[in-house]
Amino acid sequence: MNFIGKLIGAMGKAESSPSPQEAIQRLRESEELLCKKQLFLEEKITLELETARRHGTKNKRAALLALKRKKRFEKHLAQIDGTLSTIEFQRESLENASTNTEVLRSMGFAAKALEKVHKDMDINKVDDLMADIEEQQDLAQEISDAISRPVGFAQEIDEDELLAELEEMEQEELDKELLTVGEPELPSVPSSTIPAVQPAKQENEDEEDMRMLGLWAS
């Protein structure tokens, strides 16, 4: 029973699932190993091709053996290419799955934090708080209105009485203006006499006649 228990325990440990990071790391190591083997096979293919060309028709058997080895290396190289494609696809899938896992874990962490924040909030308490805020705002407005109302002498003044007095004053001014309106006054006659207009033009004509007469007499 002890041996069977140990065997089952060992099998359970061997079959335990690795973490995504461990699997990705192993796939990368396998990729590096296969890439190195690719380079090795490419060098071997080039070498066998040169061997076949060197022997040519001189040693057909050696040339054929070199070509056979080249074909075998090429087949092995093609298999490695396919394996690398599979490993690359698997590694990318694991990387994407690991990224999605981290994103989901972060989203779950944020959701728990949000739940914790909302846990301390009660919608009824929020409503009560908003009602208290609104009540305090109304009280503050009432206080502002009370402070802004005039007090003392200003409250004893009747504005209607003031308006009536102002209208009476305006009517008196209008009556005065109507009384002063009469017939238009004529302009006064000036006391000084208006000087007579000298016949300057007539004198000029007489002088011209006398000058012409003088010229005719001479």
Side-chain angles (χ1 to χ4, degrees), residues 54 131 194:
R54 185 174 63 253
I194 301 174

Side-chain angles (χ1 to χ4, degrees), residues 85-98:
S85 298
T86 303
I87 290 176
E88 183 179 2
F89 175 78
Q90 192 175 16
R91 177 177 55 79
E92 291 177 353
S93 298
L94 277 172
E95 289 175 348
N96 292 334
S98 179

